[in-house]
Amino acid sequence: MDEQLKVKTMQEFMAEGKQPEILFWVGSAGSYDDRAKKISRAFVKLLNRANVNFAVLGQEESSTGDVAKRAGNEFLFQMQAMMNIELLNGYEIKRIVTCDPHSFNTLKNEYPGLGGTYEVVHHTQYLKELLDQGRLTLQGETYKGKRITFHDPCYLGRANSVYDAPREVLAKTNAELVEMKRHKKTALCCGAGGAQMFKEPEKGDMDINVLRTKDALETNPNIIATGCPYCNTMMTDGIKAHEKEDSVTVLDVAELLANSI
């Protein structure tokens, strides 16, 4: 097996009587969606590169319940949440890192009310931490001269005011960072939040993801950077709608970092 992709489960840590530094919450997209799996793999490579002692729940991990809650099924959300909380508390988990802002927001803000209080960190914040501590170092040549624009995920930015970490991480790649007109607090949604990801768009002149991709394309980028698997899908579909697949790529911050090492 590839050493870079070595992952231990919480069960294995418990069997050894040890606790990991962090629990990596993979999330539904990062576990099942083929595109999002690449983000999970890139992040795992970075964790192993920085010698982080981390674990995943593996088959014990269930959906955080974000989609059920946003779609209005509070009962299903609470059932999913209680199951996860019982498991996390049983393992005495203190710190959770996830690549999914939806999981991040739910674990951080919705779980405490149901008895699950943890320090929850988005992967861009954690990568910034590893870079600041010198546990990760970049070559900084891969993306030199490239133009990157960052799309703020709603549940990372406006819902939790995390704007700087992803940009500071991207700045380390030595690429030229260009901001869209609507960014940070005024950023437009990609169109996938609130369980919209799983339904057909409503009638209108233009799908939200196509409109948001238009914002990004106006910066004339080589790469649209995201920090969310849902945004990644929506922006990728947007690129196809604008027929720009040949000139613009959509990559997660973790992928950009993994490629720079």
Side-chain angles (χ1 to χ4, degrees), residues 239-250:
I239 291 291
K240 287 174 187 160
H242 287 284
E243 298 181 351
K244 292 282 184 195
E245 299 117 298
D246 298 342
S247 53
V248 183
T249 338
V250 181

Side-chain angles (χ1 to χ4, degrees), residues 4 22 25 36 54 69 81 119 132 159 165 169 173-174 191 195 251 258:
Q4 292 179 296
I22 59 158
W25 185 276
F54 74 99
K69 188 177 179 76
E119 185 195 350
D132 289 349
V169 171
T173 64
N174 281 337
L251 288 170

Side-chain angles (χ1 to χ4, degrees), residues 74-89:
E74 183 66 25
F75 177 66
L76 177 59
F77 161 70
Q78 293 209 8
M79 271 177 28
Q80 289 180 303
M82 297 305 283
M83 226 163 57
N84 286 324
I85 289 167
E86 203 177 313
L87 185 69
L88 292 167
N89 290 352

Side-chain angles (χ1 to χ4, degrees), residues 100-102 150-156 158 180 182 184 186-199 201 206-216 224-239 242 250:
D100 175 11
H102 298 255
F150 178 69
H151 161 72
D152 289 280
C154 293
Y155 279 114
L156 185 65
R158 287 178 305 172
M180 300 181 221
R182 295 187 263 202
K184 294 192 175 176
T186 60
L188 181 71
C189 171
C190 74
Q196 298 292 316
M197 178 85 174
F198 306 100
K199 58 183 271 298
M206 191 187 284
D207 288 354
I208 288 193
N209 63 316
V210 177
L211 180 59
R212 185 52 173 162
T213 309
K214 188 166 171 279
D215 284 359
I224 299 172
T226 64
C228 167
Y230 296 106
C231 296
N232 197 303
T233 300
M234 298 306 264
M235 301 303 271
T236 303
D237 287 351
I239 291 291
H242 287 284
V250 181

